[in-house]
Amino acid sequence: EPRLGKPWALNTGIEHARGAMLAFTDDDVVPTSTWLWGLWRCFTEERSDAVTGRVLPRWLGERPAWLTDEAFWAIGGMGCIDWGPRRLSTREGHDCRWVGGNAAIRREVIDRLGGFDIRMLRGQDTEYYRRCEAHGLRMCYEPTALSFHKIPADRLSPAYFRRWRHRAGYFNAYTMPWKPTYLVTLMPL
């Protein structure tokens, strides 16, 4: 794909893919041997429209002492997700949000909802999940669909985490529906 940006690459992949179920990962994610099997199982056993799996960090540098598990997940997990060791379903009211490194969607869903939003420089995976959720689709989390997200040493500083969370704030502001209650002050027109 000659155009720069993940949504362009995702949509080009969708355009060229011929399968009934499309699995997505990132270039810095390493799927395990159970990844595709776990996704497939959830599609067939749960009749899910979309499936995600567990994405755990693979530290490529020494993990700093200040970056506890609690801090790592509170900061947003840097493209990792772990909803625990058991299968979850939105039909049971569970949150099955995914990250771009581990998601699979039925072709018929993509045909109905369209591709990824090319205006999104980041967070296009989350935006697509919210779109699926708004349409009441059946989504599932399958922990055996396991992959590992490589986190290089240059991403293990407080400055990097501040920049990462700052950019995430822009995404949240861009996708959040506007409500008058979000105003800090009310001023007359």
Side-chain angles (χ1 to χ4, degrees):
E1 168 56 54
R3 293 166 290 199
L4 188 60
K6 184 177 176 182
W8 291 103
L10 290 168
N11 289 335
T12 297
I14 290 167
E15 182 183 326
H16 288 75
R18 299 293 169 241
M21 294 156 199
L22 306 178
F24 302 94
T25 190
D26 290 339
D27 60 353
D28 57 355
V29 170
V30 180
T32 63
S33 61
T34 63
W35 180 60
L36 286 174
W37 176 80
L39 295 173
W40 174 257
R41 250 183 61 204
C42 219
F43 273 124
T44 57
E45 294 172 9
E46 299 288 332
R47 302 299 303 151
S48 294
D49 296 308
V51 181
T52 189
R54 188 182 262 183
V55 182
L56 300 177
R58 176 165 289 162
W59 309 104
L60 301 182
E62 186 174 337
R63 183 176 172 180
W66 60 266
L67 188 56
T68 62
D69 282 344
E70 183 178 282
F72 178 73
W73 295 111
I75 294 170
M78 297 181 64
C80 297
I81 200 155
D82 185 0
W83 296 118
R86 67 182 189 89
R87 182 183 288 175
L88 304 173
S89 173
T90 55
R91 277 181 277 179
E92 299 164 356
H94 295 288
D95 184 351
C96 298
R97 261 177 298 140
W98 59 63
V99 292
N102 194 342
I105 307 168
R106 287 185 186 275
R107 162 72 72 182
E108 62 196 49
V109 168
I110 294 170
D111 290 344
R112 189 169 33 149
L113 300 184
F116 288 85
D117 188 341
I118 56 172
R119 299 171 299 173
M120 305 290 291
L121 299 178
R122 64 176 287 140
Q124 58 276 41
D125 318 306
T126 302
E127 185 276 333
Y128 208 91
Y129 176 83
R130 289 178 182 164
R131 215 182 317 165
C132 290
E133 192 175 41
H135 282 83
L137 300 180
R138 296 175 313 236
M139 294 176 283
C140 189
Y141 162 79
E142 173 54 53
T144 62
L146 175 65
S147 56
F148 290 92
H149 181 219
K150 295 187 268 185
I151 302 177
D154 64 343
R155 293 185 182 176
L156 297 176
S157 70
Y160 179 85
F161 281 96
R162 280 192 298 275
R163 284 191 310 274
W164 192 84
R165 288 304 304 161
H166 183 74
R167 289 190 302 259
Y170 277 110
F171 161 74
N172 288 336
Y174 179 77
T175 60
M176 183 182 296
W178 188 85
K179 294 179 184 176
T181 56
Y182 295 150
L183 293 176
V184 176
T185 64
L186 292 175
M187 301 191 59
L189 294 175

